[in-house]
Amino acid sequence: MNKQDLISAIAETAGISKADAEKAINAFVETTKQTLAKKESIQLIGFGTFSVSERAARTGRNPQTGKEIQIAAKNVVKFKAGKALEESVS
């Protein structure tokens, strides 16, 4: 499912226009980005939790040459599915 398919599905399910559904999705995405940028988590009971975790610097290998390289530390986004979501796909 791509973004346009999601917009159509939400509009149909919620009984709203596609334009309103697109605004809602865009607002959710933008709010999620801003919240995660502040290293705060978003918890949607029954759906899941979005959070930011710091990945430490580490040593890796270049697969072509086998040379060791340094991989810098960085923040990564994590998603942990909630119980209701996990049960719905089981």
Side-chain angles (χ1 to χ4, degrees), residues 56-82:
R58 62 194 191 279
T59 302
R61 289 201 180 273
N62 180 333
Q64 291 180 337
T65 64
K67 258 180 122 171
E68 285 192 352
I69 56 172
Q70 279 300 102
I71 301 171
K74 68 177 186 174
N75 292 324
V76 293
V77 176
K78 292 188 174 186
F79 177 76
K80 177 162 179 18

Side-chain angles (χ1 to χ4, degrees), residues 23-63:
K23 286 179 189 175
I25 290 171
N26 289 340
F28 173 76
V29 169
E30 190 57 38
T31 303
T32 300
K33 283 187 205 176
Q34 291 171 0
T35 303
L36 293 174
K38 293 186 278 185
K39 296 185 181 174
E40 296 175 5
S41 64
I42 299 172
Q43 184 177 18
L44 303 171
I45 303 297
F47 182 71
T49 302
F50 295 91
S51 62
V52 177
S53 180
E54 188 172 318
R55 184 177 290 163
R58 62 194 191 279
T59 302
R61 289 201 180 273
N62 180 333

